[in-house]
Amino acid sequence: MPVAFDVSPDHGDTLTINMGPSHPATHGVLRCILKLDGETVVGCDAVIGYLHRGMEKIAENRTYLQFIPYTDRMDYLSPLAANVGFALAVEKLLGIEVPPRCEVLRVMCAELARIGSHLVWLGTSALDLGAATMFFHTFKDREWHYDLVEDLTGARLTTSFTRVGGVAYDASADWLKRLREFVDAMPGRIDDYEGLLTKNTIWLKRTQGVGKLTAAEALSYGCTGPVLRASGVSYDVRKAKPYSGYQNYDFKVPVGTEGDVYDRYLVRVEEMRQSVRILDQALKNIPDGPVNVDDPKVFLPPKKKVLTKMEELIHQFMIVTEGFECPPGEVYLATEVPKGELGFYIVSEGGRSPYRLRIRAAAFNNLASLAHQVQGELVADVVACIGSIDPVMGEVDR
C-alpha cells in the first residue's frame, strides 16, 4: 500500500493512502485514495475504472435478446431484477404487454432478487465491522434463496430468465410451494437478524451518526434506493411509476430520519420484510394462463408447432439467427432494483440492435456520495460507509 506525505497550508501534515482496488472491504475493484490527518479523513477520491467492459457499446452489436445475458453481469447479486428491467424497456419500445401470469412471475423474480441482494449486503457489511456471526446466518439463507433461483431459472447467478415478451419458463406448482415455505420462514429469520444487530451496542456505535447524508445532499448526488430513503426521501420507482402491476400490491416504502449508516441498515431490513409481503400477495393471486406474448415475430413459437408447421419453423429460425426488429424511437424505462433506480435508455433506428444504449445504474450515483460521507470521519468508518452504499462495481463501471 503506497503512502505519500503532504504538507499543505489547509491541512498541515497529511498522509495519502490507497484503500483498494483489491481490498476485502471495498466490495470489488474500487480504489479509494484517502487523505488522512492522523486518523481523520480530510479527502477521498473514489476511482472506479478498473472493470470497464464497454457493455453499453457492445449492445450496439448485439440483438436485443443477445444483450439479456449482459444484464446478468451488472449487479451480479440481483441479476433477475436487471433481466426484468431490460425486458420491460424493450417491450415499451415495441409497444407490447405481457400476460398477467408473466407480470406476477416477474414481480416474484424482482422481490426474490431484492431479498437475496440484501442478504448478501447484510452479511458482508456486518463482517466488515467484525460481526462474523451475522455473515453465517445470512449466507445460510442466501443458499436457500439461490436454490429457489436455480430451480426456476436453471442457474444460480447468470439467470438470463426474462425474455422480451415473457419469461424463459413457467413456474411449476412444486416451485411455488417451496417459495411459499421460504416466504413463511423469512419473517422469523429477519427477526433473528435484528435480534443480533439492531440494539447491539457495538453495532450502534459503529453505525449511528456515521456517513450522514441529508435529504438535499442525497438528492444532489442523484442517490436512489435505500441510500436516498434512509435520508428521509420516500422515492421508490415501484410507487412513483408502477410497472408489472406493482400498483396492485399493498406494501410500504420504509424511510429513515438521520441518513446515516444505521438508517441504511434499518431501511434495508424493512425492505426485506416488505418484499416478503409482496411475495405473499403474489403467491395468493398468481393467475393461470400463458407466460409469453402470442407474437411469433417477437417470441419463440411453441416447440410443438415448430416441429409440425413450416411458418412457425421459419419464425423460430429468424428469431434465433437474426433476432426481431424494433421500430425507430427512443425510450427510457426505470425499475426499482435493490440498489435503487435502474434505468435503460434505448435509441432505435429500426433494426435488430439498439442504435444507442445507456444504463442509469443506481450504485454509480450512490457511490458518488462516498467522498462527502467520509469527510471528517475516522478511517475505520470508511469501511462502514462503503458497506452502507452496497456498491457492485459491475453495475458502477459498465
Side-chain angles (χ1 to χ4, degrees), residues 84-98 106 164-165 241-243 324 326-334 344-346:
V84 171
F86 179 70
L88 284 169
V90 180
E91 287 162 7
K92 183 178 180 181
L93 185 61
L94 284 167
I96 61 175
E97 293 186 2
V98 298
R106 286 180 174 182
V164 176
K241 300 171 185 174
Y243 56 91
F324 53 81
C326 278
E330 55 186 279
V331 297
Y332 176 78
L333 190 134
F344 289 93
Y345 175 62
I346 302 173

Side-chain angles (χ1 to χ4, degrees), residues 66-106:
Q66 287 173 340
F67 189 69
I68 287 177
Y70 288 87
T71 63
D72 294 333
R73 290 152 176 80
M74 292 170 50
D75 180 0
Y76 44 80
L77 301 182
S78 59
L80 282 169
N83 295 163
V84 171
F86 179 70
L88 284 169
V90 180
E91 287 162 7
K92 183 178 180 181
L93 185 61
L94 284 167
I96 61 175
E97 293 186 2
V98 298
R101 184 176 176 86
C102 176
E103 285 197 332
V104 175
L105 281 176
R106 286 180 174 182

Side-chain angles (χ1 to χ4, degrees), residues 19 34 47-48 54 80 98 176 178 192 265 284 295 306 338:
M19 179 180 283
L34 299 175
V47 183
I48 62 171
L80 282 169
V98 298
L176 294 173
R178 283 185 287 121
D192 291 342
Y265 156 75
K284 289 176 179 174
D295 186 345
V306 173

Side-chain angles (χ1 to χ4, degrees), residues 8-24:
S8 68
D10 295 332
H11 303 298
D13 294 340
T14 59
L15 175 68
T16 301
I17 66 169
N18 283 315
M19 179 180 283
S22 55
H23 186 288

Side-chain angles (χ1 to χ4, degrees), residues 307-328:
L307 296 174
T308 55
K309 297 184 178 180
M310 179 57 71
E311 191 172 358
E312 274 71 11
L313 178 62
I314 294 171
H315 285 314
Q316 170 163 309
F317 179 79
M318 294 301 293
I319 290 176
V320 170
T321 57
E322 298 186 10
F324 53 81
E325 288 197 12
C326 278

Side-chain angles (χ1 to χ4, degrees), residues 182-380:
F182 180 79
V183 168
D184 290 343
M186 278 310 291
R189 302 296 299 145
I190 297 170
D191 289 342
D192 291 342
Y193 308 152
E194 288 215 81
L196 284 169
L197 286 185
T198 300
K199 295 182 180 178
N200 182 298
T201 303
I202 300 173
W203 181 254
L204 294 177
K205 288 188 175 181
R206 290 301 311 271
T207 57
Q208 285 188 327
V210 175
K212 295 185 72 169
L213 277 180
T214 66
E217 289 166 348
L219 287 169
S220 70
Y221 285 107
C223 296
T224 54
V227 175
L228 176 65
R229 291 191 283 273
S231 298
V233 180
S234 180
Y235 174 73
D236 187 311
V237 181
R238 296 172 295 175
K239 290 283 190 182
K241 300 171 185 174
Y243 56 91
S244 294
Y246 267 110
Q247 67 275 14
N248 301 320
Y249 294 88
D250 179 25
F251 67 100
K252 295 179 181 177
V253 177
V255 295
T257 55
E258 301 298 322
D260 56 10
V261 172
Y262 185 66
D263 272 8
R264 288 170 212 142
Y265 156 75
L266 292 178
V267 165
R268 288 194 176 94
V269 169
E270 182 57 28
E271 284 188 3
M272 284 196 283
R273 294 189 189 279
Q274 297 301 319
S275 290
V276 170
R277 283 184 65 191
I278 293 171
L279 285 171
D280 177 59
Q281 295 168 58
L283 282 168
K284 289 176 179 174
N285 300 306
I286 185 169
D288 295 327
V291 294
N292 305 311
V293 294
D294 184 16
D295 186 345
K297 291 188 177 180
V298 174
F299 201 91
L300 292 175
K303 201 66 176 178
K304 186 183 294 183
K305 291 185 177 179
V306 173
L307 296 174
T308 55
K309 297 184 178 180
M310 179 57 71
E311 191 172 358
E312 274 71 11
L313 178 62
I314 294 171
H315 285 314
Q316 170 163 309
F317 179 79
M318 294 301 293
I319 290 176
V320 170
T321 57
E322 298 186 10
F324 53 81
E325 288 197 12
C326 278
E330 55 186 279
V331 297
Y332 176 78
L333 190 134
T335 55
E336 187 71 30
V337 298
K339 308 288 187 291
E341 179 177 329
L342 173 66
F344 289 93
Y345 175 62
I346 302 173
V347 178
S348 169
E349 290 192 335
R352 304 177 191 280
S353 304
Y355 175 69
R356 288 286 186 271
L357 174 70
R358 291 292 180 267
I359 302 169
R360 194 275 180 203
F364 176 80
N365 290 74
N366 293 342
L367 194 58
S369 69
L370 177 64
H372 183 85
Q373 287 188 39
V374 301
Q375 189 78 26
E377 303 287 4
L378 297 177
V379 65

Side-chain angles (χ1 to χ4, degrees), residues 27 77 117-118 121 124 268 338-339 363 385-392:
H27 295 227
L77 301 182
S117 177
H118 285 356
W121 159 80
T124 55
R268 288 194 176 94
K339 308 288 187 291
C385 292
I386 294 173
S388 74
I389 293 172
D390 189 22
V392 167

